[in-house]
């Protein structure tokens, strides 16, 4: 046994690049320092490239992103050297987190150099700092490839991490506070990148992807999620506090407008998550319920183009009207169709979504009754006024001026909190357990006494009413409603395809999953303007990759994660003879564990 271990030791210490481990660790540190130093040099001679990378001693644009990547690589390198305060970054000293982190700086620096050459017309436009960045960022990759690993798969495959010891309640709350602060900084920086500066946003995405990938392999995200589950209320409060602070970090009200749109999109996706994620019903026309709520609120909000122009409900009444209209349509559509299953139900809901769009397009007084003003829609919807507070007027709070969209952002935070509360309470209730039973096996659930039709109808109606609530706010934010946005698939969200993708991408059956998925699907097309004509292709490819490598979504529900990643059988040597009953006892022990 000792001889076998000794013989295998050199193989475990070898890497793809034949260098001693000490040299490999030194290369990681040297390359990280070089990458950081290069960001204080000029990368190009002209300021025509976004971000103005011409200044010595002052990083800007993609240089800041490369600086952060180099700093993270340096921290991982110091953790490998045994610096105690940094051991939490990689407790097991695994190879894959370090390698993935080195790729962040490498991809950002090389992408920047290539982008400069392509945009400005040749390598002659690169200053010495760009060449230093390219060479320096490649050195840590070489060093990481010299760390233990026999194939390239070893460098991108998650390895086992030691189970962390629990921290005290105060320390865990501090960790949650730090994590929320970092998330706010990252989101604020990303949303603040100019819409025309697609190169900087691509570099930002590259850094985020590899940093999150590395943190996942190091077990940091799993540990953070465990802490969040033990302090759900505190974590949720921090998330809403961070969202409330966001408007005070922005000087441009356009970014607050993006925040409002993301929250509307995310809230509707969370309502769809009740239908798809909890109940397992494939709804391809869900965006129609958003439209029903928006049109119902627009009709009673005092617009001169409304069929009922003399009627102006207060916000709470308009919101209840939108919710009630969507609820009624949810029941009317669900009652005759929810006895269908699978693809048949999907086809019927897809048809409902198209029927709604065509119907409101024809209700113009000539092709049909004069209710929705046809393709022109209902415009000039007045801003909301709540308790004498006009959301359309900028307001000063101390030295900060909150514009119109910042005001609506706070309103949407309140609406999102209501939807999150309804979702969590419903999911943890008796009806929520019935939804999950229907999703897992409707036949078995019915055999156990669950009224499948009634349970599914409740889910359909509740999801529709939540979408109607979000539609009420959307109508006032956009000043108008028209049939154009309510398609099954379009280059611009929200539409049914993007809503479904947000749920699947983020993680079905979770609260934070659809919120994250909706944020990504709305923000990325907004910042990468050149992809708008290919957005459907891009998000289709993203879904294919997601289904291949992480079918449970970015933020996985534990039940679904176990379904998609079965642990397999016991590792018992085939040729080893075991006493009778040993295998059964071993399996029983494993099941109990």
């Amino acid at each position: 046994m000792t001889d076998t271990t000794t013989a295998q030791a050199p193989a475990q210490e070898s890497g793809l690049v034949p260098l001693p481990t000490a040299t490999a660790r030194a290369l990681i540190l040297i390359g990280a320092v070089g990458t950081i130093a290069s960001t204080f040099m000029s990368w190009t001679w002209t300021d025509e490239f976004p971000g103005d990378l011409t200044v010595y001693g002052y990083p800007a644009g993609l240089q800041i992103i490369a600086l952060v990547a180099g700093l993270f690589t340096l921290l991982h390198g110091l953790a490998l050297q045994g610096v105690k305060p940094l051991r939490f970054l990689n407790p097991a000293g695994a190879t894959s987190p370090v390698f993935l982190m080195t790729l962040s700086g490498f991809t950002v620096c090389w992408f920047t150099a290539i982008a400069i050459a392509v945009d400005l017309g040749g390598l002659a436009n690169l200053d010495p700092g760009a060449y230093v960045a390219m060479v320096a960022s490649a050195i840590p990759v070489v060093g990481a490839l010299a760390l233990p690993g026999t194939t390239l798969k070893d460098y991108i495959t998650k390895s086992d991490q030691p189970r962390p010891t629990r921290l005290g309640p105060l320390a865990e709350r501090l960790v949650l506070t730090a994590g929320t602060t970092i998330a706010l900084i990252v989101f604020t920086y990303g949303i603040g990148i100019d819409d025309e500066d697609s190169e900087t946003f691509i570099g930002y995405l590259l850094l985020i992807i590899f940093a999150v990938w590395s943190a996942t392999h190091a077990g940091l995200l799993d540990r953070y999620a465990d802490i969040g589950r033990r302090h759900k209320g505190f974590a949720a409060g921090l998330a809403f506090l961070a969202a409330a602070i966001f408007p005070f970090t922005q000087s441009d009200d356009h970014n607050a407008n993006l925040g409002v749109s993301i929250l509307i999109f995310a809230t509707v996706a969370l309502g769809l998550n009740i239908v798809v994620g909890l109940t397992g019903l494939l709804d391809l026309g869900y965006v129609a319920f958003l439209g029903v709520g928006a049109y119902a609120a627009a009709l009673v909000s005092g617009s001169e183009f409304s069929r009922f122009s003399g009627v102006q409900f207060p916000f709470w009444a308009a919101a209840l009207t939108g919710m009630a209209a969507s609820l009624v349509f949810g029941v009317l559509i669900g009652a005759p169709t929810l006895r269908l299953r699978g693809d048949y139900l999907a086809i019927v809901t897809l048809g409902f979504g198209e029927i709604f769009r065509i119907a409101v397009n024809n209700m113009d007084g000539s092709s049909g009754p004069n209710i929705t003003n046809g393709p022109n829609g209902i415009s000039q919807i007045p801003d909301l006024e709540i308790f004498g507070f006009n959301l359309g007027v900028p307001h000063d709070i101390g030295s900060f001026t909150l514009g119109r969209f910042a005001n609506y952002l706070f309103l949407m935070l309140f609406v999102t909190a209501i939807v999150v509360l309804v979702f969590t309470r419903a999911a943890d209730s008796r009806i929520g357990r019935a939804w999950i039973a229907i999703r897992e096996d409707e036949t078995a659930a019915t055999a156990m006494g669950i009224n499948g039709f009634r349970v599914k109808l409740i889910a359909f109606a509740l999801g529709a009413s939540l979408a109607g609530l979000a539609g009420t706010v959307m109508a006032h934010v956009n000043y108008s409603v028209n049939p154009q946005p309510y398609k099954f698939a379009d280059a611009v969200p929200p539409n049914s395809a993007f809503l479904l993708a947000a749920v699947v991408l983020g993680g079905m059956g979770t609260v934070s999953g659809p919120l994250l998925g909706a944020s990504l699907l709305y923000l990325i097309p907004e910042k990468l303007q050149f992809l708008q004509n290919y957005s459907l292709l891009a998000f289709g490819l993203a879904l294919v990759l997601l289904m291949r490598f992480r079918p449970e979504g970015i933020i996985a529900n534990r039940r679904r994660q176990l379904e998609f990643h079965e642990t397999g059988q016991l590792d018992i040597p085939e040729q080893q003879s075991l006493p009778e009953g040993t295998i059964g006892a071993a399996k029983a022990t494993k099941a109990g564990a």
Side-chain angles (χ1 to χ4, degrees), residues 345-389:
L345 177 62
I347 293 171
V348 170
T349 55
L350 175 61
F352 164 64
E354 289 301 301
I355 289 171
F356 167 78
R357 183 177 61 83
I358 295 172
V360 296
N361 195 60
N362 290 333
M363 292 180 181
D364 57 355
S366 58
S367 301
N370 184 17
I371 298 178
T372 65
N373 205 21
N376 294 323
I378 302 172
S379 58
Q380 295 187 16
I381 300 174
D383 282 306
L384 291 173
E385 187 170 338
I386 303 175
F387 301 118
F389 188 88

Side-chain angles (χ1 to χ4, degrees), residues 498 505 521 524-525 528 530-546:
F498 271 83
L505 174 68
L521 287 178
I524 291 176
L528 301 181
F530 68 93
L531 277 180
Q532 283 198 351
N533 293 332
Y534 309 98
S535 58
L536 293 178
L537 174 63
F539 109 88
L541 291 175
L543 282 180
V544 170
L545 294 175
L546 186 73

Side-chain angles (χ1 to χ4, degrees), residues 126-487:
L126 296 177
D127 272 2
Y131 291 104
V132 172
M134 294 169 68
V135 174
S137 63
I139 293 175
V141 178
V142 175
L145 289 173
L147 295 174
T150 56
T151 64
L152 184 59
K153 186 178 180 180
D154 296 333
Y155 294 89
I156 59 175
T157 302
K158 185 177 180 180
S159 57
D160 294 333
Q161 293 285 345
R163 188 167 184 172
T165 57
R166 282 198 178 188
L167 304 174
L170 178 59
E172 290 185 339
R173 284 178 168 84
L174 290 176
V175 169
L176 291 175
T177 304
T180 305
T181 303
I182 293 173
L184 176 61
I185 293 172
V186 170
F187 179 78
T188 301
Y189 184 85
I191 204 172
I193 297 175
D194 190 85
D195 294 350
E196 302 298 328
D197 191 359
S198 58
E199 292 87 353
T200 302
F201 192 77
I202 291 175
Y204 166 82
L205 287 181
L206 289 173
L207 173 61
I208 295 298
I209 289 171
F210 283 106
V212 172
W213 197 358
S214 173
T216 302
H217 281 211
L220 293 177
L221 296 187
D222 291 338
R223 280 178 275 167
Y224 187 84
D226 288 338
I227 294 175
R229 278 189 287 269
R230 289 195 291 271
H231 304 276
K232 285 184 179 181
F234 184 76
L238 283 177
F240 280 100
L241 177 62
I245 293 175
F246 168 73
F248 295 97
T249 66
Q250 303 298 310
S251 58
D252 187 357
D253 203 36
H254 171 68
N255 293 335
N257 183 21
L258 291 180
V260 174
S261 301
I262 289 173
L263 281 178
I264 292 174
F265 190 20
T267 301
V268 179
L270 194 58
L272 178 61
N273 198 24
I274 295 177
V275 179
V276 176
L278 293 182
T279 318
L281 304 176
L282 185 55
D283 189 347
L284 299 182
Y286 186 77
V287 74
F289 297 122
L290 175 69
V292 170
Y295 268 98
L299 287 170
V300 298
S301 293
S303 170
E304 62 178 280
F305 293 94
S306 168
R307 179 69 175 80
F308 313 105
S309 57
V311 178
Q312 184 170 3
F313 287 2
F315 169 68
W316 63 268
L320 290 178
T321 301
M323 293 180 66
S326 296
L327 176 65
V328 169
F329 271 84
V331 173
L332 291 178
I333 298 302
T337 61
L338 286 178
R339 299 187 189 277
L340 301 174
R341 298 187 187 182
D343 298 339
Y344 301 101
L345 177 62
I347 293 171
V348 170
T349 55
L350 175 61
F352 164 64
E354 289 301 301
I355 289 171
F356 167 78
R357 183 177 61 83
I358 295 172
V360 296
N361 195 60
N362 290 333
M363 292 180 181
D364 57 355
S366 58
S367 301
N370 184 17
I371 298 178
T372 65
N373 205 21
N376 294 323
I378 302 172
S379 58
Q380 295 187 16
I381 300 174
D383 282 306
L384 291 173
E385 187 170 338
I386 303 175
F387 301 118
F389 188 88
N390 191 331
L391 299 186
V393 178
H395 296 272
D396 293 330
I397 299 180
S399 59
F400 296 96
T401 299
L402 297 179
R404 174 178 183 270
F405 293 114
N407 296 330
Y408 277 104
L409 179 63
F410 287 113
L411 176 62
M412 270 310 303
L413 277 177
F414 177 72
V415 172
T416 304
I418 294 175
V419 175
V420 169
L421 180 62
V422 170
F423 180 91
T424 53
R425 299 289 290 182
D428 294 335
S429 67
R430 181 178 179 181
I431 191 68
R433 293 193 295 272
W435 288 338
I436 295 173
I438 291 290
R439 182 192 70 192
E440 298 300 321
D441 192 329
E442 184 173 350
T443 302
T446 304
M448 295 301 294
I450 295 176
N451 188 331
F453 173 75
R454 182 175 64 87
V455 167
K456 290 191 292 185
L457 187 60
I458 292 174
F460 214 70
L462 180 59
S465 62
L466 295 180
L469 176 60
T472 300
V473 181
M474 188 181 74
H476 290 86
V477 171
N478 295 337
Y479 285 126
S480 65
V481 291
N482 62 80
Q484 182 64 25
Y486 307 109
K487 297 180 179 179

